[in-house]
Amino acid sequence: KKNTKPKEKSWKEFALWMHEVHNDVTLRLISAEAALHGRKRLTFEEEEAAIWPSTHSCRLCYDGKGKWNRDNVFNYLRTEYWPGGIHNWRFVVLDKNEYASAPRPKFRVERWTLIRAGMIVAAAFLVADIARQRYLLRTGR
């Protein structure tokens, strides 16, 4: 099978496209919410809060005219989502070592939950047995 590894430029364009779609959808959802409350336009602060990355978190992502600097946005996305690089070009994955050492939450069941579950199961068996006995009395079997 022929190795059809995508070019770096296509990865870059895909990441930037996803970034634009994400921001467009976020703005549409917030605008729709504002319209439900009778407002026709978002405030500058609302738009600023909806756009990602914010000017506070990535000053270099914006040029002097308020437009995106696509190269800097891509660099920001790369450091944010792929800090260890893209390990397999077929899958966009995060650095697994970052999450391997995180403590896993312990699964704990409260005693009352077990008692309640047992009571529900016992009640279900009791109801089924009563229904079976009534059926036997009605049919005579």
Side-chain angles (χ1 to χ4, degrees):
K1 193 172 182 180
K2 190 175 181 180
N3 185 2
T4 56
K5 182 177 178 180
K7 296 179 178 153
E8 186 176 333
K9 184 177 179 182
S10 64
W11 273 115
K12 182 177 179 178
E13 290 302 314
F14 177 70
L16 291 169
W17 177 79
M18 287 296 293
H19 168 257
E20 290 174 20
V21 169
H22 172 269
N23 282 330
D24 288 346
V25 169
T26 302
L27 283 173
R28 282 187 199 150
L29 290 173
I30 291 173
S31 296
E33 182 73 23
L36 287 174
H37 293 101
R39 295 184 9 237
K40 293 184 179 183
R41 295 189 55 120
L42 295 176
T43 65
F44 175 77
E45 291 79 19
E46 288 172 321
E47 283 189 25
E48 182 75 18
I51 298 297
W52 187 88
S54 67
T55 54
H56 184 291
S57 62
C58 182
R59 294 184 194 279
L60 297 176
C61 291
Y62 300 89
D63 64 10
K65 301 171 188 168
K67 301 280 185 189
W68 293 109
N69 180 321
R70 292 172 58 86
D71 291 331
N72 288 342
V73 169
F74 180 72
N75 289 335
Y76 184 83
L77 292 172
R78 190 170 54 192
T79 57
E80 190 73 20
Y81 288 105
W82 308 290
I86 298 173
H87 301 289
N88 183 340
W89 61 268
R90 292 184 186 121
F91 303 102
V92 179
V93 295
L94 293 172
D95 188 5
K96 293 178 183 174
N97 294 330
E98 181 180 336
Y99 299 100
S101 61
R104 294 184 181 187
K106 293 182 180 179
F107 182 72
R108 185 174 156 213
V109 179
E110 297 291 328
R111 184 183 313 197
W112 177 245
T113 303
L114 291 174
I115 292 171
R116 197 173 347 162
M119 291 173 65
I120 290 171
V121 169
F125 276 114
L126 182 63
V127 168
D129 188 53
I130 291 171
R132 185 181 63 82
Q133 287 177 7
R134 292 179 89 189
Y135 174 77
L136 291 175
L137 285 174
R138 270 190 282 131
T139 60
R141 294 184 192 185

